[in-house]
Amino acid sequence: MSDRNRRTTSRKSTGSEQPLSERQRVILRVIVREYVASGRPIGSKALVRLSGIDVSPATIRNEMARLEELGYLEHLHTSGGRIPTDKGYRYFVAHLMGNIELSSSEQLTILHQFRQVELQLEQWIELAAATLARAAGNVSVVSAPIPQTPRLRHLELISLQPRLGLVILVTTDGAVRQLMTHWPDDADQETLSALADALVPPLRGLTADEIAGHAAGASALARVALAQVEIAMRAMTASVAPVRHSGLEHVLAQPEFSDATEAQELLTLLGGGSFVSAILPRLEDAPGVRVFIGEENQTDELRRLGIVVSTYGVDDEVVGVLGVVGPTRMAYDRSISSVRYMARLMSDLMADLHGQ
Amino acid sequence: MSDRNRRTTSRKSTGSEQPLSERQRVILRVIVREYVASGRPIGSKALVRLSGIDVSPATIRNEMARLEELGYLEHLHTSGGRIPTDKGYRYFVAHLMGNIELSSSEQLTILHQFRQVELQLEQWIELAAATLARAAGNVSVVSAPIPQTPRLRHLELISLQPRLGLVILVTTDGAVRQLMTHWPDDADQETLSALADALVPPLRGLTADEIAGHAAGASALARVALAQVEIAMRAMTASVAPVRHSGLEHVLAQPEFSDATEAQELLTLLGGGSFVSAILPRLEDAPGVRVFIGEENQTDELRRLGIVVSTYGVDDEVVGVLGVVGPTRMAYDRSISSVRYMARLMSDLMADLHGQ
DNA sequence: ATTAGCACTCTCTCACAGAGAGTGCTAAGA
DNA sequence: TCTTAGCACTCTCTGTGAGAGAGTGCTAAT
């Protein structure tokens, strides 16, 4: 009894963090792989069969007990096999899964799909979300690329009705925004076109901040137009970018979400933009694919999820975020390689777009 | 025994379709209301309590049996109360629910939300979807308004890189589209601006078809630009409009979708645009709110759903679709009044936009 | 260090019983 | 003729308990 107590209490803080033996690593890998695939805890007997290790189940049991002490596995019920802990998944991601690439046939399929679609940013994002979801077998999340410091390239003022019109602006990176606008006075198309023609040359290449400086002394109409331009350009860099997601069906099929309330939580999470704002801060100045597993996440809603994300884009010009979300029990290897490939692909597309 | 057989067989084709008595109407109304609210079948005893009719449960049972013969109710299990059939819901919608309006406080809340948002079509759609979902307590579906015969108002050609650029076009109803385009030759901004300035006057006010006629004899660059304009304008009228949906959480909470596969079907339905194409044909030239209940739907995926839709927009200028989707067991009164109100609101917004 | 053996624990499935709810039918009452 | 009370019946739902199955930890032997 005292023996048992000692073990239980020592589970959390494991004094000497000696490296795992090769056999332990094999066991952990098989458990992660198998649990991810089946969703059912793995017992010692099944493990012997699956791992090919030529020892008895009893030996495996000892090793499993040791791995549990070290915090890599856990024990849902007294009987019923073991499952990986978050730490176990983390170890798997760091040391056991190898450095997997998508198979070249998969890469080709994806490339092919992108070739078939028109040169439309919206469509790229849509397609990226759909493709990533399928490749990773999870919910995918793709944000639009956010220009880092958008500069004005072109401006167009349109009259729809006497006092209602559009401000259309194009930035140097090719993004287009339109805002409906109330003009302060009646303004016909001639007046507006003339104003736009007059405004563009001095403003070309300026940032939102710089444009703000030009408002003083201008006509009322020009001030309204400039204010709208400024709003639009600031909105472009806002970190709460619109986010597409796709592939909910994959995740709802998982037993973790068979409970409707779990599914609901995920939906509100994805629906309400809070997802990106929760994740984005942790991506700052860390390139490549990042993985957050269960408890490693900072907000409660994410504690039962695994997240694989990457930024994409062209340094200092545009940056977007894409990734996948699923239960902690997800195929991290597959997700990571999918996210990595898709981020590279989207980055290439952005680079093309920006002429590199 | 023979008696029982007679009733069972006579259920489908009910010879004399005499009008329901007042008491039967009350019973049917209470059953629909209560079943929608609770999701549990209603028995004779509960019905007496709920309806306030001062007769014994036995009498109610006779009436219920009669309603079942007539096809308005059904019997899931020998015991366990009755639930409405599709025909029962249909009768409820046609004769029993009254002509309900959203409460004026609800109307005000919604109006207020629309006032707070900027004058952006995208945002209106988003907001309409979110609001409708909440008001109706179901999944909402809102399509962007489709211009009936878009006419060109303005055209802008932008150079991003030597051979890559943007075609931006504005139609008379204020819709803006941009397409990324490969120019056939190197084209600097001056050339493109000059071309745009030259193209706009003759093309202003023309439809896609009419623009197609202008391509002959033009320069290669102009032909590419015109082709893009034509593509964009045709895409605008394509009936497969992009559709926003919102409020999945409401529906996933319903027991009908606690089974993950049901939920999945709904997701793929909403995700894959097939929804609008399945519904749209049936909306042709029928104004106002339409209701499709279960078996009334033509495709199998929709057989277990109730759908309440309406077109919105300005006649002959823009037309969009909005509605809600839920299990057949849905609060049709609430959904109908929400859809009706929201369609009116969006139509008003469109009318404002088109200057009426 | 490994293994066989064993007692133990926990889940899962199935069957069964009893409560509860509701039904249809019959016969009596208004 | 409509309504009602009574009754036998059916079906679901909720335990409960038994038994199988899987897996574990521990001990003792190899």
Side-chain angles (χ1 to χ4, degrees), chain A residues 102 106 130-140 250 323-325 330-331 334-336 338-339:
Chain A
L102 282 191
E106 275 179 304
T131 312
L132 184 53
R134 188 143 13 89
N138 278 305
V139 178
S140 68
H250 295 123
V324 305
V325 182
M330 74 151 82
R334 198 162 177 71
S335 292
I336 290 171
S338 305
V339 167

Side-chain angles (χ1 to χ4, degrees), chain B residues 33-50:
Chain B
R33 286 255 159 76
E34 190 56 24
Y35 181 58
V36 165
S38 73
R40 285 191 301 270
I42 317 301
S44 54
K45 210 162 143 192
L47 191 46
V48 170
R49 182 166 33 80
L50 292 163

